[in-house]
Amino acid sequence: MPRNAHSISRRQISENALKVLYRLHKSGFKAYLVGGGVRDLLLGQEPKDFDVVTNATPEEIKRLFRNCRLVGRRFRLAHIVFGRDIIEVATFRGHHDTSNEKISKSNAQGRLLRDNVYGGIDEDAERRDFTVNALYYDISDFAIHSYAGGIHDLEKGILRLIGDPDTRYREDPVRMLRAVRFATKLNMQIEAVTAAPIKQLAPLLKDIPAARMYEEVLKLFFAGHAEQNFDMMQEYGLFAPLFPAIQAQLDEYPKGACAKMMHAVMRSTDERVKADRPITPAFFYAAILWYPLRQRADEIASESGLTTNDAYYAAMGDIMEQQCRTISVPRRFSTPAKDIWQLQLRLERSLNTRAFKMAEHPKFRAAFDLLQLRAEVEGGSLEKTATWWNNFLNADEENRSKIVRSGPRGNSRNNNGNRSRTGNRRRRPANKQPKAAE
Ligand code: ATP
Ligand code: MG
């Protein structure tokens, strides 16, 4: 497709990506914008990032750019660093007809552990995942090269894997998740042959390193299509291998609290993304794992005879540790997630003067948000608790004192008039207070 036959102009491409493309081109190398950047621009969407591909080897790229870092083992790549912006530059990938383990390696299931065979643009296109991602924008003449019918599929809204789907999913099972993600993000249909093997191969996701899985899951749930992706992952059996504890509850109680919570979390995440409000993995993981946590806590309490509080703390460690085996949630998020869990118990017990102190906790807001989701899911007394907190938070200083004095049910049945503040506090022994998280 020559320049005058398509809609992409250089103004839509980031300055840094253009710099990289031009420098490679002027040094005598081939240089293309490739994949999602081209695809999204053709669809009129704003690309998340711009990826570049070239015939220069990583070493040659490094010699051209002072701000270059070579990264990756499975795929060797060059990162050209412009402050916070990074342009990823890959070398054309070739076929795996080599027996050299240093550059090409796969495991018994056919998963590629190393993929560093270099080739030309034709071979590179065959190594891409979907036809709509095999689009190349040539910086030398501004033409677009479409392989495997990419442009045609893009126009028709068809998501089609290049090559034999079974082989391509075995090479990299994450492609199954990418199929779901692109289908919802680009509003495309997964073509029948591409969709067919997914259900059967979904369990292969268990073998993907947990660190990579963490990144993929963020892309699935933090980009505005969480609810659709969750539903489609259920349809294809892609959720279970990543979230076994949650799936166990969904299977046992398909219409139960956990299922409702999942939809509530996904929907509220999507709404926040749309409204440009902040989202954090700490809250996300605390919320989706809440019901598995409660079940685990109940089990521990009945097996061991620990107090409710102690059983909860033990369960927090269990549940988070189990989740991290498939998705390694960084500690900077798993620790505050546990704080949010811990505060759930306290929120329900602090409909009194303790509310003032609680509201100052750094994770209070997130904890209150989870309480509201739980109230939405369960109704009943939780709804009353959430309403109490809502009233408290929306009141001015004077009215807050009134609310606190009027007790959990909004009257003074539980309190003894004005003396209840101290009275209440004394009656709850110190050892019943939740201890700090581990
Ligand atoms: P987005 O950036 O919106 O997530 P993208 O298509 O740009 O979508 P990237 O992960 O940025 O996805 O990858 C850039 C390109 O590299 C893809 O368009 C595709 O051509 C290729 N690619 C990425 N991951 C794979 C994979 N697992 N298997 C084969 N090709 C891939
Ligand atoms: Mg991209």
Side-chain angles (χ1 to χ4, degrees), residues 145-216:
H145 298 257
S146 155
Y147 287 84
I151 286 274
H152 172 266
D153 285 346
L154 194 76
E155 281 165 0
K156 289 266 187 289
I158 297 171
L159 203 59
R160 189 195 312 272
L161 210 49
I162 297 170
D164 169 50
D166 191 89
T167 312
R168 301 306 309 282
Y169 290 138
R170 284 178 193 277
E171 281 174 2
D172 182 7
V174 169
R175 288 172 186 152
M176 296 185 274
L177 293 176
R178 289 172 62 87
V180 167
R181 181 157 68 85
F182 292 137
T184 59
K185 167 181 159 158
L186 308 171
N187 196 15
M188 287 188 171
Q189 288 293 325
I190 306 180
E191 181 265 340
V193 177
T194 295
I198 298 184
K199 252 190 192 159
Q200 198 203 330
L201 298 179
L204 292 177
L205 283 175
K206 279 190 210 132
D207 301 333
I208 303 296
R212 182 173 178 212
M213 230 43 267
Y214 173 74
E215 300 294 331
E216 293 300 325

Side-chain angles (χ1 to χ4, degrees), residues 185-396:
K185 167 181 159 158
L186 308 171
N187 196 15
M188 287 188 171
Q189 288 293 325
I190 306 180
E191 181 265 340
V193 177
T194 295
I198 298 184
K199 252 190 192 159
Q200 198 203 330
L201 298 179
L204 292 177
L205 283 175
K206 279 190 210 132
D207 301 333
I208 303 296
R212 182 173 178 212
M213 230 43 267
Y214 173 74
E215 300 294 331
E216 293 300 325
V217 166
L218 281 189
K219 291 185 205 165
L220 280 160
F221 295 129
F222 277 35
H225 300 278
E227 195 173 21
Q228 271 180 298
N229 284 338
F230 172 68
D231 288 340
M232 209 178 235
M233 286 169 82
Q234 285 296 330
E235 191 185 321
Y236 285 112
L238 292 166
F239 191 79
L242 305 182
F243 298 94
I246 298 172
Q247 191 65 43
Q249 288 211 352
L250 297 178
D251 290 342
E252 202 170 342
Y253 313 104
K255 293 203 162 68
C258 186
K260 285 187 192 147
M261 176 59 90
M262 292 307 291
H263 279 100
V265 176
M266 300 301 166
R267 210 169 302 146
S268 96
T269 311
D270 286 344
E271 277 163 14
R272 293 183 76 104
V273 171
K274 228 167 258 144
D276 241 338
R277 289 166 65 199
I279 41 178
T280 154
F283 177 80
F284 181 80
Y285 282 93
I288 63 173
L289 290 167
W290 171 254
Y291 288 103
L293 169 74
R294 262 190 37 181
Q295 187 181 30
R296 185 79 194 110
D298 288 347
E299 281 165 14
I300 292 177
S302 72
E303 281 164 14
S304 67
L306 287 177
T307 65
T308 310
N309 266 336
D310 289 346
Y312 259 100
Y313 295 126
M316 287 180 199
D318 278 10
I319 288 288
M320 197 51 90
E321 192 190 308
Q322 191 194 352
Q323 185 58 76
C324 286
R325 274 179 230 148
T326 50
I327 299 171
S328 73
V329 182
R331 230 172 265 279
R332 69 181 184 283
F333 298 122
S334 61
T335 303
K338 287 179 188 168
D339 289 344
I340 294 169
W341 282 340
Q342 213 191 111
L343 287 170
Q344 297 309 299
L345 301 183
R346 289 172 55 191
L347 275 170
E348 290 175 66
R349 292 173 192 165
S350 302
L351 310 184
N352 48 43
T353 46
R354 279 200 295 264
F356 289 102
K357 184 116 190 291
M358 283 268 335
E360 284 167 18
H361 192 286
K363 285 281 148 282
F364 171 80
R365 187 66 226 189
F368 176 58
D369 286 343
L370 178 54
L371 179 76
Q372 282 184 307
L373 287 184
R374 291 170 54 212
E376 195 181 307
V377 165
E378 293 177 46
S381 71
L382 267 183
E383 215 154 42
K384 294 204 178 80
T385 306
T387 308
W388 189 96
W389 275 106
N390 214 2
N391 290 339
F392 176 80
L393 293 170
N394 288 324
D396 57 22

